[in-house]
Amino acid sequence: LSLYSSPARETKYVEDPQTQLEEGVSRLRHVMEPYTAWCQQMLRVTFEARASLSSALCSDFFSEGCEFLQNPPAGFYPRLGVIGFAGIVGLFLARGSKIKKLVYPAGLMGIGASMYYPQQAVAIAKVAGTQVYDWSLQGYIAVESLWKDN
């Protein structure tokens, strides 16, 4: 008995015959091959165009934002974390209606952002206040005209 050699085994590979389903799938793949090649080519062209377009857009429109995120002011990311956490807490508290799920996270994030950025919050509140006043006035006029017509 040799420790380092094993007796040669005679193995023979026998391929199973194809079933009707396998033959049908094979025929379908051969028929559809030109169409799939065309689709792959169109996808390749689309992705290349999208990549060039997105790089152009990022360089033109978002360069300022990218620079800001690369060189943020001191304490920006902790503030962002607190504001984001306030939104998550708002989602947790907003069980039930869909309106709560919209109002609570937005409200808590707004409160968190107004704590860190009070000047911007005042400016936004002034603009939002005038917009809400205008909308309510338009609604009042519309209801009043409906009331007088009846």
Side-chain angles (χ1 to χ4, degrees):
L1 291 173
S2 175
L3 295 175
Y4 299 107
S5 65
S6 61
R9 296 181 186 168
E10 292 185 24
T11 59
K12 187 176 182 182
Y13 176 72
V14 177
E15 189 171 326
D16 291 332
Q18 283 189 337
T19 62
Q20 282 186 329
L21 178 64
E22 290 173 336
E23 288 177 13
V25 170
S26 176
R27 248 185 272 122
L28 180 66
R29 287 181 67 196
H30 286 297
V31 168
M32 295 300 291
E33 188 174 5
Y35 302 110
T36 56
W38 178 80
C39 288
Q40 287 175 350
Q41 181 183 8
M42 293 308 290
L43 283 174
R44 201 173 300 122
V45 168
T46 304
F47 284 132
E48 289 172 1
R50 184 180 291 172
S52 64
L53 181 64
S54 67
S55 66
L57 285 176
C58 283
S59 65
D60 291 344
F61 297 115
F62 301 114
S63 62
E64 196 172 304
C66 291
E67 289 176 16
F68 180 80
L69 290 176
Q70 288 174 352
N71 302 317
F76 174 73
Y77 288 121
R79 291 176 180 180
L80 186 66
V82 168
I83 294 168
F85 184 72
I88 292 171
V89 168
L91 279 176
F92 180 72
L93 294 175
R95 293 183 181 163
S97 73
K98 293 181 182 180
I99 304 245
K100 284 183 183 178
K101 289 181 181 178
L102 290 173
V103 172
Y104 282 19
L108 288 177
M109 288 175 70
I111 291 170
S114 66
M115 287 186 340
Y116 287 118
Y117 303 104
Q119 293 172 340
Q120 291 86 349
V122 168
I124 290 172
K126 284 181 182 177
V127 171
T130 58
Q131 287 291 329
V132 168
Y133 177 73
D134 290 341
W135 290 339
S136 64
L137 193 58
Q138 289 174 1
Y140 177 74
I141 292 169
V143 169
E144 186 180 31
S145 68
L146 287 174
W147 188 267
K148 285 183 179 180
D149 289 344
N150 289 336

